[in-house]
Amino acid sequence: MKLLLKYMKPYRGLAIVTVLVLMVDIAGTLLVPTLLANMVNIGVATKNFNYILQNGLAMLGATALASGGALLGSYLSAKLAASVGRDIRNAVYDSSLAFSGSDFERFGTGSMITRTLNDINVIQQSIIMTIQMVLPVPIMCVMGIALATSIDYQMGILLAIVVAVVLVIAAITVANAAPIFTRLQRFIDRMNVVLRENITGVRV
């Protein structure tokens, strides 16, 4: 984690902008059902056409805000992941130039291929998934609980309890998945070694 933060440090500004855009996307997404509820509960109940029209336009603006935030957030997260991955690949390559023959024998060619290609690709995908799928969860939980509490206090408390249970289950799942991922990396190393042995000397 410290190593990843080291390579993300030059892109602090991009990371902050990406998170802010993500928050805009989430805010727009959560505003749509809130405005719709107000439209039905107040506008339709009182037959106030102007109120319905105003909320409809506000929903349209919130939808545009959420859509723009989603598109821009995807672009920025991909750009951040690609930049960090490029720097890590360059660092791995520069370090490999200093290896001796015995170092390559100790690490193994298959392991070096995996570290340079697959592992860095996993890091890039992890950055994208963290920004687009992990970070939105606490932000959405806080905003959702706040909006629910503003409408109904008891509903907000119930939502907070459900969120806490889901987060505990998610933490347990991630903890159990980590050893499986470690075993997978060993299998990939072995597969690369076998594949390299099979294609060595093949005329292309």
Side-chain angles (χ1 to χ4, degrees):
M1 179 59 70
K2 291 182 178 179
L3 186 62
L4 179 59
L5 292 177
K6 171 187 174 183
Y7 287 101
M8 291 189 67
K9 190 175 181 180
Y11 306 102
R12 290 191 302 265
L14 179 59
I16 293 173
V17 172
T18 304
V19 174
L20 292 177
V21 171
L22 178 68
M23 294 178 66
V24 170
D25 174 25
I26 296 172
T29 302
L30 292 178
L31 277 176
V32 171
T34 304
L35 293 171
L36 179 60
N38 291 335
M39 183 188 298
V40 174
N41 295 334
I42 300 176
V44 175
T46 60
K47 299 179 181 180
N48 188 337
F49 179 76
N50 290 331
Y51 186 85
I52 295 175
L53 181 61
Q54 291 174 1
N55 275 265
L57 293 174
M59 286 177 60
L60 184 62
T63 302
L65 192 68
S67 301
L71 291 174
L72 185 58
S74 298
Y75 170 77
L76 292 176
S77 60
K79 184 177 180 180
L80 176 63
S83 300
V84 173
R86 177 196 60 206
D87 292 348
I88 295 177
R89 281 192 177 93
N90 290 336
V92 171
Y93 178 75
D94 292 340
S95 297
S96 67
L97 294 179
F99 288 170
S100 63
S102 60
D103 290 330
F104 276 103
E105 289 293 333
R106 180 162 58 91
F107 293 120
T109 307
S111 179
M112 289 299 300
I113 294 173
T114 304
R115 301 292 85 79
T116 307
L117 300 177
N118 183 73
D119 283 7
I120 297 177
N121 183 61
V122 169
I123 291 173
Q124 289 179 288
Q125 295 298 323
S126 299
I127 292 174
I128 294 175
M129 293 300 177
T130 299
I131 294 174
Q132 295 186 344
M133 299 182 66
V134 178
L135 286 181
V137 173
I139 299 174
M140 188 173 292
C141 289
V142 172
M143 289 185 179
I145 292 172
L147 289 173
T149 305
S150 65
I151 298 173
D152 189 327
Y153 179 75
Q154 293 181 343
M155 181 61 68
I157 297 298
L158 178 61
L159 183 60
I161 295 173
V162 172
V163 167
V165 172
V166 171
L167 289 178
V168 170
I169 295 174
I172 294 173
T173 303
V174 171
N176 291 331
I180 298 175
F181 180 79
T182 303
R183 291 177 57 194
L184 177 63
Q185 292 303 302
R186 290 199 295 267
F187 289 142
I188 293 175
D189 287 350
R190 180 57 186 162
M191 183 182 69
N192 284 330
V193 171
V194 174
L195 180 61
R196 182 174 179 274
E197 291 173 351
N198 289 331
I199 66 176
T200 298
V202 176
R203 296 176 66 88
V204 294

